[in-house]
């Protein structure tokens, strides 16, 4: 009996780290029947998968991404991916809409949200990190007229189906309803696009087809809200439970950027990249058949003992190269720069407003999920 045959999605959702550690040690390329895919858990193997699209294609069939979002830049290989990335990436670079937003609007948005919380006690995730992350992406895309709550609801609905590795029809139905509703809202925004500086207007001006815009904006919403939201929550949680880190950053504020990178590496809010074998082949000595789905587990490779020194430890002086929390290679997240700004500014503004912030006593911070992992609630007070 293989280790993979004993794994269920429920086990991974509850606590993936010990399972992934055992897979790295004993069965690094593991067939998981419950998910009908191979889990690849070591750094070098996932890098190999990403570097060889001729062997491991992003254009998978079936595709959780395509089902939940429509065909998009993460469901295709170069040169099609290269064309879409060239169109979609500029608004998310420092010289695009994201740069202007981060320098002029992100801080005031955070301050307005902090104006509304009760210092005597509030939920960091739902009252602050969530609306800040959703509002940031909505503003950059040009969907801010729909409000923070609607953006988050769309994100939740899409992610319900994206994480549905066991093909629960009820979860698929939630995803389908969200996919249709959000698609209509994006199509309406495309119709009203002009010469404003929103990302959607940029995509129209650059000649992207309406369907390409709709599907890729769905992708941006499904991945571009969870990661900075959970990043804000987890960085704050670490600072509130590790006074040694807090004192180091108070003395040298630039170290906050290092903490953010280490928190992303250790906790990896987004879990996997999925590819499909294009032919019969071997990976790390394990035979894989043509057509098999192969999932590179980003959360696992960010803790690979063969790649990192003391991988489960947050080290503000670590210099071992980039992590994979935003994926690897050509399919690396195009919104990673904006996400980092949201976490940095969000945490800076939070502690500037509430320098005596503490965790409310006797709460257990539950970090949950496999494909999307973060704290459900972090109660704080000042």
């Amino acid at each position: 009996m293989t280790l993979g045959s004993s794994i269920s999605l429920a086990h991974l959702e509850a606590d993936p780290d010990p399972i992934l550690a055992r897979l790295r040690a004993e069965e690094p390329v593991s067939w998981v029947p419950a998910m009908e895919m191979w889990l690849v858990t070591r750094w070098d193997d996932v890098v190999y998968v990403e570097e060889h699209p001729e062997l491991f294609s992003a254009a998978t069939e079936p595709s959780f991404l395509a089902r939940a979002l429509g065909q998009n830049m993460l469901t295709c290989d170069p040169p099609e991916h290269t064309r879409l990335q060239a169109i979609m990436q500029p608004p998310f670079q420092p010289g695009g809409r994201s740069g202007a937003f981060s320098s002029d609007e992100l801080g005031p948005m955070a301050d307005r949200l902090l104006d509304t919380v009760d210092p005597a006690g509030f939920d960091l995730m739902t009252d602050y990190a969530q609306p800040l992350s959703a509002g940031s992406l909505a503003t950059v895309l040009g969907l801010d007229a729909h409000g923070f709550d609607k953006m988050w609801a769309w994100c939740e609905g899409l992610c319900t189906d994206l994480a549905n590795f066991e093909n629960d029809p009820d979860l698929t139905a939630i995803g389908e309803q969200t996919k249709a509703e959000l698609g209509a809202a994006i199509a309406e925004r495309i119709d009203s696009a002009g010469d404003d500086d929103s990302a959607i207007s940029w995509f129209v001006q650059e000649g992207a087809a309406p369907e390409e815009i709709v599907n890729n904006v769905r992708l941006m919403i499904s991945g571009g809200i969870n990661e900075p939201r959970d990043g804000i929550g987890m960085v704050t949680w670490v600072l509130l439970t590790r006074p040694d880190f807090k004192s180091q950053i108070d003395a040298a504020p630039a170290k906050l950027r290092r903490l953010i990178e280490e928190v992303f590496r250790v906790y990896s809010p987004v879990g996997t990249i999925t590819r499909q074998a294009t032919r019969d082949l071997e990976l790390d000595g394990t035979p894989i058949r043509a057509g098999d789905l192969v999932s590179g587990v980003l959360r696992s490779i960010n803790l690979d003992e063969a790649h990192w020194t003391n991988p489960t430890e947050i080290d503000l002086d670590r210099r071992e190269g980039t992590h994979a929390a935003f994926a690897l290679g050509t399919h690396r997240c195009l919104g990673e720069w904006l996400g980092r700004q949201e976490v940095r500014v969000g945490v800076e503004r939070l502690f500037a407003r509430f320098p005596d912030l503490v965790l409310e006593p006797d709460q257990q911070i539950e970090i949950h999920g496999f494909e999307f992992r973060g704290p459900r609630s972090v109660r704080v007070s000042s």
Side-chain angles (χ1 to χ4, degrees), residues 68-112:
L69 310 173
Q71 296 293 340
N72 60 78
M73 70 175 70
L74 293 190
T75 62
C76 63
D77 299 310
E80 178 62 9
H81 175 272
T82 306
R83 180 186 69 83
L84 287 170
Q85 185 182 54
I87 293 172
M88 303 288 171
Q89 190 162 40
F92 295 95
Q93 300 287 48
R97 179 68 180 97
S98 293
F101 168 77
S102 296
S103 62
D104 301 333
E105 301 166 69
L106 177 55
M109 180 183 288
D111 291 340
R112 289 193 298 273

mmCIF file of all heavy atoms in Angstrom, residues 68-112:
data_model
loop_
_atom_site.group_PDB
_atom_site.id
_atom_site.type_symbol
_atom_site.label_atom_id
_atom_site.label_comp_id
_atom_site.label_asym_id
_atom_site.label_seq_id
_atom_site.Cartn_x
_atom_site.Cartn_y
_atom_site.Cartn_z
ATOM 1 N N ALA A 68 -13.442 26.260 -13.388
ATOM 2 C CA ALA A 68 -13.902 27.311 -12.474
ATOM 3 C C ALA A 68 -13.831 28.702 -13.085
ATOM 4 O O ALA A 68 -14.606 29.588 -12.698
ATOM 5 C CB ALA A 68 -13.086 27.278 -11.186
ATOM 6 N N LEU A 69 -12.900 28.912 -14.039
ATOM 7 C CA LEU A 69 -12.615 30.272 -14.500
ATOM 8 C C LEU A 69 -12.793 30.461 -15.994
ATOM 9 O O LEU A 69 -12.950 31.589 -16.460
ATOM 10 C CB LEU A 69 -11.166 30.647 -14.141
ATOM 11 C CG LEU A 69 -10.715 30.412 -12.696
ATOM 12 C CD1 LEU A 69 -9.225 30.676 -12.559
ATOM 13 C CD2 LEU A 69 -11.515 31.279 -11.733
ATOM 14 N N GLY A 70 -12.762 29.392 -16.770
ATOM 15 C CA GLY A 70 -12.616 29.483 -18.215
ATOM 16 C C GLY A 70 -11.141 29.401 -18.576
ATOM 17 O O GLY A 70 -10.265 29.570 -17.731
ATOM 18 N N GLN A 71 -10.834 29.133 -19.839
ATOM 19 C CA GLN A 71 -9.432 29.044 -20.270
ATOM 20 C C GLN A 71 -8.725 30.368 -20.007
ATOM 21 O O GLN A 71 -9.244 31.431 -20.329
ATOM 22 C CB GLN A 71 -9.364 28.701 -21.764
ATOM 23 C CG GLN A 71 -9.922 27.337 -22.116
ATOM 24 C CD GLN A 71 -9.099 26.188 -21.564
ATOM 25 O OE1 GLN A 71 -7.923 26.346 -21.219
ATOM 26 N NE2 GLN A 71 -9.702 25.015 -21.460
ATOM 27 N N ASN A 72 -7.528 30.282 -19.417
ATOM 28 C CA ASN A 72 -6.819 31.487 -19.007
ATOM 29 C C ASN A 72 -5.319 31.283 -19.140
ATOM 30 O O ASN A 72 -4.861 30.226 -19.584
ATOM 31 C CB ASN A 72 -7.209 31.862 -17.575
ATOM 32 C CG ASN A 72 -6.863 30.760 -16.587
ATOM 33 O OD1 ASN A 72 -5.712 30.586 -16.192
ATOM 34 N ND2 ASN A 72 -7.872 29.979 -16.189
ATOM 35 N N MET A 73 -4.533 32.268 -18.715
ATOM 36 C CA MET A 73 -3.087 32.200 -18.936
ATOM 37 C C MET A 73 -2.406 31.080 -18.149
ATOM 38 O O MET A 73 -1.300 30.678 -18.490
ATOM 39 C CB MET A 73 -2.428 33.547 -18.615
ATOM 40 C CG MET A 73 -2.388 33.914 -17.159
ATOM 41 S SD MET A 73 -1.463 35.443 -16.870
ATOM 42 C CE MET A 73 -2.585 36.634 -17.585
ATOM 43 N N LEU A 74 -3.051 30.562 -17.112
ATOM 44 C CA LEU A 74 -2.473 29.453 -16.372
ATOM 45 C C LEU A 74 -2.906 28.099 -16.915
ATOM 46 O O LEU A 74 -2.476 27.066 -16.403
ATOM 47 C CB LEU A 74 -2.828 29.544 -14.888
ATOM 48 C CG LEU A 74 -2.226 30.717 -14.113
ATOM 49 C CD1 LEU A 74 -2.464 30.553 -12.624
ATOM 50 C CD2 LEU A 74 -0.730 30.878 -14.390
ATOM 51 N N THR A 75 -3.754 28.092 -17.943
ATOM 52 C CA THR A 75 -4.159 26.829 -18.556
ATOM 53 C C THR A 75 -3.587 26.693 -19.964
ATOM 54 O O THR A 75 -4.115 25.955 -20.783
ATOM 55 C CB THR A 75 -5.694 26.696 -18.607
ATOM 56 O OG1 THR A 75 -6.248 27.744 -19.411
ATOM 57 C CG2 THR A 75 -6.291 26.777 -17.210
ATOM 58 N N CYS A 76 -2.508 27.420 -20.232
ATOM 59 C CA CYS A 76 -1.866 27.316 -21.539
ATOM 60 C C CYS A 76 -0.355 27.436 -21.373
ATOM 61 O O CYS A 76 0.137 27.903 -20.347
ATOM 62 C CB CYS A 76 -2.390 28.371 -22.512
ATOM 63 S SG CYS A 76 -2.073 30.076 -22.024
ATOM 64 N N ASP A 77 0.362 27.004 -22.374
ATOM 65 C CA ASP A 77 1.825 27.043 -22.394
ATOM 66 C C ASP A 77 2.278 28.133 -23.358
ATOM 67 O O ASP A 77 1.497 28.649 -24.157
ATOM 68 C CB ASP A 77 2.369 25.688 -22.873
ATOM 69 C CG ASP A 77 1.962 24.543 -21.971
ATOM 70 O OD1 ASP A 77 2.155 24.670 -20.749
ATOM 71 O OD2 ASP A 77 1.449 23.522 -22.480
ATOM 72 N N PRO A 78 3.579 28.499 -23.298
ATOM 73 C CA PRO A 78 4.115 29.376 -24.333
ATOM 74 C C PRO A 78 3.953 28.706 -25.713
ATOM 75 O O PRO A 78 4.007 27.485 -25.807
ATOM 76 C CB PRO A 78 5.600 29.506 -23.958
ATOM 77 C CG PRO A 78 5.630 29.221 -22.477
ATOM 78 C CD PRO A 78 4.570 28.182 -22.268
ATOM 79 N N PRO A 79 3.713 29.482 -26.787
ATOM 80 C CA PRO A 79 3.769 30.948 -26.845
ATOM 81 C C PRO A 79 2.455 31.650 -26.473
ATOM 82 O O PRO A 79 2.433 32.856 -26.334
ATOM 83 C CB PRO A 79 4.119 31.209 -28.309
ATOM 84 C CG PRO A 79 3.479 30.073 -29.037
ATOM 85 C CD PRO A 79 3.613 28.873 -28.149
ATOM 86 N N GLU A 80 1.339 30.881 -26.340
ATOM 87 C CA GLU A 80 0.071 31.518 -26.019
ATOM 88 C C GLU A 80 0.137 32.188 -24.650
ATOM 89 O O GLU A 80 -0.333 33.310 -24.464
ATOM 90 C CB GLU A 80 -1.062 30.495 -26.051
ATOM 91 C CG GLU A 80 -2.432 31.035 -25.694
ATOM 92 C CD GLU A 80 -2.951 32.105 -26.642
ATOM 93 O OE1 GLU A 80 -2.345 32.341 -27.708
ATOM 94 O OE2 GLU A 80 -3.968 32.745 -26.311
ATOM 95 N N HIS A 81 0.739 31.509 -23.678
ATOM 96 C CA HIS A 81 0.897 32.116 -22.356
ATOM 97 C C HIS A 81 1.713 33.394 -22.434
ATOM 98 O O HIS A 81 1.393 34.394 -21.790
ATOM 99 C CB HIS A 81 1.568 31.129 -21.403
ATOM 100 C CG HIS A 81 1.874 31.719 -20.061
ATOM 101 N ND1 HIS A 81 3.055 32.381 -19.785
ATOM 102 C CD2 HIS A 81 1.142 31.776 -18.924
ATOM 103 C CE1 HIS A 81 3.036 32.811 -18.543
ATOM 104 N NE2 HIS A 81 1.892 32.440 -17.990
ATOM 105 N N THR A 82 2.765 33.385 -23.228
ATOM 106 C CA THR A 82 3.635 34.556 -23.360
ATOM 107 C C THR A 82 2.858 35.750 -23.902
ATOM 108 O O THR A 82 3.027 36.880 -23.418
ATOM 109 C CB THR A 82 4.808 34.230 -24.299
ATOM 110 O OG1 THR A 82 5.464 33.049 -23.822
ATOM 111 C CG2 THR A 82 5.806 35.373 -24.338
ATOM 112 N N ARG A 83 1.990 35.500 -24.888
ATOM 113 C CA ARG A 83 1.188 36.587 -25.460
ATOM 114 C C ARG A 83 0.245 37.175 -24.405
ATOM 115 O O ARG A 83 0.159 38.404 -24.245
ATOM 116 C CB ARG A 83 0.375 36.061 -26.647
ATOM 117 C CG ARG A 83 -0.509 37.126 -27.323
ATOM 118 C CD ARG A 83 -1.406 36.525 -28.387
ATOM 119 N NE ARG A 83 -2.440 35.663 -27.820
ATOM 120 C CZ ARG A 83 -3.594 36.125 -27.336
ATOM 121 N NH1 ARG A 83 -3.856 37.431 -27.332
ATOM 122 N NH2 ARG A 83 -4.490 35.288 -26.851
ATOM 123 N N LEU A 84 -0.450 36.319 -23.663
ATOM 124 C CA LEU A 84 -1.396 36.805 -22.662
ATOM 125 C C LEU A 84 -0.680 37.521 -21.524
ATOM 126 O O LEU A 84 -1.133 38.558 -21.040
ATOM 127 C CB LEU A 84 -2.216 35.637 -22.111
ATOM 128 C CG LEU A 84 -3.269 35.058 -23.048
ATOM 129 C CD1 LEU A 84 -3.839 33.764 -22.485
ATOM 130 C CD2 LEU A 84 -4.390 36.068 -23.291
ATOM 131 N N GLN A 85 0.452 36.982 -21.098
ATOM 132 C CA GLN A 85 1.203 37.616 -20.022
ATOM 133 C C GLN A 85 1.668 39.016 -20.419
ATOM 134 O O GLN A 85 1.627 39.950 -19.605
ATOM 135 C CB GLN A 85 2.401 36.745 -19.644
ATOM 136 C CG GLN A 85 3.179 37.259 -18.432
ATOM 137 C CD GLN A 85 4.378 36.385 -18.132
ATOM 138 O OE1 GLN A 85 5.201 36.146 -19.006
ATOM 139 N NE2 GLN A 85 4.470 35.900 -16.915
ATOM 140 N N ALA A 86 2.100 39.176 -21.666
ATOM 141 C CA ALA A 86 2.556 40.486 -22.135
ATOM 142 C C ALA A 86 1.433 41.514 -22.082
ATOM 143 O O ALA A 86 1.671 42.704 -21.834
ATOM 144 C CB ALA A 86 3.106 40.374 -23.560
ATOM 145 N N ILE A 87 0.201 41.070 -22.301
ATOM 146 C CA ILE A 87 -0.948 41.973 -22.239
ATOM 147 C C ILE A 87 -1.353 42.254 -20.793
ATOM 148 O O ILE A 87 -1.642 43.404 -20.426
ATOM 149 C CB ILE A 87 -2.147 41.363 -23.002
ATOM 150 C CG1 ILE A 87 -1.859 41.300 -24.505
ATOM 151 C CG2 ILE A 87 -3.425 42.172 -22.746
ATOM 152 C CD1 ILE A 87 -2.901 40.535 -25.297
ATOM 153 N N MET A 88 -1.371 41.228 -19.974
ATOM 154 C CA MET A 88 -1.979 41.320 -18.647
ATOM 155 C C MET A 88 -1.038 41.849 -17.565
ATOM 156 O O MET A 88 -1.494 42.404 -16.561
ATOM 157 C CB MET A 88 -2.490 39.931 -18.209
ATOM 158 C CG MET A 88 -3.485 39.288 -19.160
ATOM 159 S SD MET A 88 -5.093 40.116 -19.101
ATOM 160 C CE MET A 88 -5.929 39.341 -20.486
ATOM 161 N N GLN A 89 0.268 41.715 -17.735
ATOM 162 C CA GLN A 89 1.179 42.027 -16.634
ATOM 163 C C GLN A 89 1.416 43.516 -16.380
ATOM 164 O O GLN A 89 1.552 43.916 -15.202
ATOM 165 C CB GLN A 89 2.519 41.320 -16.850
ATOM 166 C CG GLN A 89 3.417 41.398 -15.625
ATOM 167 C CD GLN A 89 4.514 40.355 -15.658
ATOM 168 O OE1 GLN A 89 5.102 40.092 -16.698
ATOM 169 N NE2 GLN A 89 4.781 39.755 -14.517
ATOM 170 N N PRO A 90 1.519 44.387 -17.410
ATOM 171 C CA PRO A 90 1.919 45.776 -17.142
ATOM 172 C C PRO A 90 1.123 46.502 -16.065
ATOM 173 O O PRO A 90 1.730 47.224 -15.253
ATOM 174 C CB PRO A 90 1.774 46.439 -18.518
ATOM 175 C CG PRO A 90 2.095 45.334 -19.473
ATOM 176 C CD PRO A 90 1.465 44.110 -18.864
ATOM 177 N N PRO A 91 -0.210 46.366 -15.963
ATOM 178 C CA PRO A 91 -0.906 47.087 -14.897
ATOM 179 C C PRO A 91 -0.506 46.660 -13.485
ATOM 180 O O PRO A 91 -0.783 47.387 -12.520
ATOM 181 C CB PRO A 91 -2.386 46.764 -15.157
ATOM 182 C CG PRO A 91 -2.455 46.415 -16.598
ATOM 183 C CD PRO A 91 -1.170 45.701 -16.872
ATOM 184 N N PHE A 92 0.138 45.500 -13.359
ATOM 185 C CA PHE A 92 0.503 45.005 -12.035
ATOM 186 C C PHE A 92 1.965 45.240 -11.699
ATOM 187 O O PHE A 92 2.449 44.775 -10.656
ATOM 188 C CB PHE A 92 0.146 43.511 -11.944
ATOM 189 C CG PHE A 92 -1.327 43.275 -12.027
ATOM 190 C CD1 PHE A 92 -1.917 42.962 -13.243
ATOM 191 C CD2 PHE A 92 -2.135 43.428 -10.920
ATOM 192 C CE1 PHE A 92 -3.292 42.788 -13.347
ATOM 193 C CE2 PHE A 92 -3.504 43.253 -11.004
ATOM 194 C CZ PHE A 92 -4.091 42.932 -12.222
ATOM 195 N N GLN A 93 2.656 45.993 -12.533
ATOM 196 C CA GLN A 93 4.047 46.350 -12.286
ATOM 197 C C GLN A 93 4.135 47.735 -11.643
ATOM 198 O O GLN A 93 3.175 48.508 -11.682
ATOM 199 C CB GLN A 93 4.828 46.337 -13.606
ATOM 200 C CG GLN A 93 4.832 44.981 -14.313
ATOM 201 C CD GLN A 93 5.721 43.972 -13.610
ATOM 202 O OE1 GLN A 93 5.657 43.811 -12.403
ATOM 203 N NE2 GLN A 93 6.541 43.270 -14.365
ATOM 204 N N PRO A 94 5.274 48.074 -11.043
ATOM 205 C CA PRO A 94 5.403 49.388 -10.397
ATOM 206 C C PRO A 94 5.117 50.555 -11.329
ATOM 207 O O PRO A 94 4.653 51.605 -10.872
ATOM 208 C CB PRO A 94 6.861 49.394 -9.923
ATOM 209 C CG PRO A 94 7.210 47.961 -9.747
ATOM 210 C CD PRO A 94 6.462 47.223 -10.818
ATOM 211 N N GLY A 95 5.375 50.402 -12.623
ATOM 212 C CA GLY A 95 5.112 51.487 -13.551
ATOM 213 C C GLY A 95 3.687 51.546 -14.070
ATOM 214 O O GLY A 95 3.341 52.444 -14.835
ATOM 215 N N GLY A 96 2.845 50.601 -13.655
ATOM 216 C CA GLY A 96 1.462 50.558 -14.109
ATOM 217 C C GLY A 96 0.488 51.031 -13.043
ATOM 218 O O GLY A 96 0.859 51.702 -12.078
ATOM 219 N N ARG A 97 -0.762 50.660 -13.207
ATOM 220 C CA ARG A 97 -1.810 51.099 -12.284
ATOM 221 C C ARG A 97 -1.492 50.712 -10.844
ATOM 222 O O ARG A 97 -1.764 51.462 -9.903
ATOM 223 C CB ARG A 97 -3.159 50.497 -12.701
ATOM 224 C CG ARG A 97 -4.328 50.884 -11.787
ATOM 225 C CD ARG A 97 -4.651 52.349 -11.898
ATOM 226 N NE ARG A 97 -5.756 52.762 -11.044
ATOM 227 C CZ ARG A 97 -5.612 53.322 -9.840
ATOM 228 N NH1 ARG A 97 -4.405 53.530 -9.338
ATOM 229 N NH2 ARG A 97 -6.671 53.689 -9.138
ATOM 230 N N SER A 98 -0.891 49.543 -10.651
ATOM 231 C CA SER A 98 -0.582 49.101 -9.293
ATOM 232 C C SER A 98 0.422 50.011 -8.600
ATOM 233 O O SER A 98 0.349 50.213 -7.379
ATOM 234 C CB SER A 98 -0.034 47.669 -9.322
ATOM 235 O OG SER A 98 -1.025 46.754 -9.726
ATOM 236 N N GLY A 99 1.369 50.553 -9.363
ATOM 237 C CA GLY A 99 2.359 51.438 -8.768
ATOM 238 C C GLY A 99 1.728 52.713 -8.240
ATOM 239 O O GLY A 99 1.991 53.138 -7.104
ATOM 240 N N ALA A 100 0.892 53.342 -9.058
ATOM 241 C CA ALA A 100 0.215 54.559 -8.627
ATOM 242 C C ALA A 100 -0.717 54.286 -7.455
ATOM 243 O O ALA A 100 -0.791 55.057 -6.490
ATOM 244 C CB ALA A 100 -0.559 55.155 -9.798
ATOM 245 N N PHE A 101 -1.428 53.159 -7.523
ATOM 246 C CA PHE A 101 -2.321 52.805 -6.425
ATOM 247 C C PHE A 101 -1.549 52.608 -5.128
ATOM 248 O O PHE A 101 -1.935 53.120 -4.068
ATOM 249 C CB PHE A 101 -3.102 51.531 -6.772
ATOM 250 C CG PHE A 101 -3.826 50.943 -5.601
ATOM 251 C CD1 PHE A 101 -5.004 51.514 -5.147
ATOM 252 C CD2 PHE A 101 -3.315 49.843 -4.929
ATOM 253 C CE1 PHE A 101 -5.666 50.996 -4.043
ATOM 254 C CE2 PHE A 101 -3.960 49.315 -3.830
ATOM 255 C CZ PHE A 101 -5.144 49.886 -3.387
ATOM 256 N N SER A 102 -0.443 51.873 -5.196
ATOM 257 C CA SER A 102 0.318 51.568 -3.979
ATOM 258 C C SER A 102 0.905 52.814 -3.338
ATOM 259 O O SER A 102 0.947 52.930 -2.107
ATOM 260 C CB SER A 102 1.436 50.571 -4.306
ATOM 261 O OG SER A 102 0.885 49.341 -4.742
ATOM 262 N N SER A 103 1.355 53.763 -4.160
ATOM 263 C CA SER A 103 1.993 54.958 -3.601
ATOM 264 C C SER A 103 0.980 55.990 -3.124
ATOM 265 O O SER A 103 1.252 56.712 -2.155
ATOM 266 C CB SER A 103 2.918 55.583 -4.641
ATOM 267 O OG SER A 103 2.180 55.995 -5.779
ATOM 268 N N ASP A 104 -0.199 56.051 -3.753
ATOM 269 C CA ASP A 104 -1.124 57.144 -3.467
ATOM 270 C C ASP A 104 -2.414 56.732 -2.758
ATOM 271 O O ASP A 104 -3.005 57.537 -2.040
ATOM 272 C CB ASP A 104 -1.516 57.854 -4.774
ATOM 273 C CG ASP A 104 -0.319 58.431 -5.504
ATOM 274 O OD1 ASP A 104 0.682 58.749 -4.832
ATOM 275 O OD2 ASP A 104 -0.382 58.545 -6.746
ATOM 276 N N GLU A 105 -2.861 55.503 -2.955
ATOM 277 C CA GLU A 105 -4.208 55.128 -2.507
ATOM 278 C C GLU A 105 -4.243 54.005 -1.480
ATOM 279 O O GLU A 105 -5.198 53.911 -0.704
ATOM 280 C CB GLU A 105 -5.056 54.717 -3.728
ATOM 281 C CG GLU A 105 -5.198 55.810 -4.779
ATOM 282 C CD GLU A 105 -5.745 55.272 -6.085
ATOM 283 O OE1 GLU A 105 -6.939 54.887 -6.112
ATOM 284 O OE2 GLU A 105 -4.983 55.199 -7.081
ATOM 285 N N LEU A 106 -3.257 53.122 -1.487
ATOM 286 C CA LEU A 106 -3.296 51.960 -0.611
ATOM 287 C C LEU A 106 -3.261 52.353 0.861
ATOM 288 O O LEU A 106 -4.069 51.862 1.666
ATOM 289 C CB LEU A 106 -2.129 51.028 -0.949
ATOM 290 C CG LEU A 106 -1.957 49.777 -0.096
ATOM 291 C CD1 LEU A 106 -3.223 48.937 -0.076
ATOM 292 C CD2 LEU A 106 -0.776 48.950 -0.614
ATOM 293 N N GLY A 107 -2.346 53.256 1.244
ATOM 294 C CA GLY A 107 -2.282 53.688 2.635
ATOM 295 C C GLY A 107 -3.563 54.341 3.119
ATOM 296 O O GLY A 107 -4.098 53.971 4.175
ATOM 297 N N PRO A 108 -4.102 55.320 2.367
ATOM 298 C CA PRO A 108 -5.375 55.908 2.788
ATOM 299 C C PRO A 108 -6.520 54.904 2.857
ATOM 300 O O PRO A 108 -7.385 55.008 3.734
ATOM 301 C CB PRO A 108 -5.626 56.966 1.705
ATOM 302 C CG PRO A 108 -4.254 57.368 1.255
ATOM 303 C CD PRO A 108 -3.457 56.098 1.292
ATOM 304 N N MET A 109 -6.539 53.902 1.951
ATOM 305 C CA MET A 109 -7.575 52.873 2.022
ATOM 306 C C MET A 109 -7.451 52.086 3.324
ATOM 307 O O MET A 109 -8.454 51.825 4.006
ATOM 308 C CB MET A 109 -7.470 51.919 0.825
ATOM 309 C CG MET A 109 -8.514 50.813 0.817
ATOM 310 S SD MET A 109 -8.317 49.645 -0.572
ATOM 311 C CE MET A 109 -8.851 50.673 -1.942
ATOM 312 N N ALA A 110 -6.217 51.729 3.689
ATOM 313 C CA ALA A 110 -6.002 51.022 4.949
ATOM 314 C C ALA A 110 -6.450 51.881 6.133
ATOM 315 O O ALA A 110 -7.109 51.386 7.063
ATOM 316 C CB ALA A 110 -4.524 50.649 5.087
ATOM 317 N N ASP A 111 -6.126 53.162 6.099
ATOM 318 C CA ASP A 111 -6.505 54.050 7.201
ATOM 319 C C ASP A 111 -8.024 54.156 7.337
ATOM 320 O O ASP A 111 -8.555 54.182 8.453
ATOM 321 C CB ASP A 111 -5.900 55.430 6.990
ATOM 322 C CG ASP A 111 -4.384 55.440 7.147
ATOM 323 O OD1 ASP A 111 -3.846 54.504 7.780
ATOM 324 O OD2 ASP A 111 -3.750 56.377 6.627
ATOM 325 N N ARG A 112 -8.721 54.232 6.204
ATOM 326 C CA ARG A 112 -10.186 54.323 6.268
ATOM 327 C C ARG A 112 -10.787 53.063 6.888
ATOM 328 O O ARG A 112 -11.744 53.140 7.668
ATOM 329 C CB ARG A 112 -10.762 54.553 4.872
ATOM 330 C CG ARG A 112 -10.499 55.946 4.313
ATOM 331 C CD ARG A 112 -11.357 56.224 3.096
ATOM 332 N NE ARG A 112 -11.078 55.319 1.993
ATOM 333 C CZ ARG A 112 -10.128 55.518 1.078
ATOM 334 N NH1 ARG A 112 -9.348 56.596 1.166
ATOM 335 N NH2 ARG A 112 -9.964 54.661 0.097
#
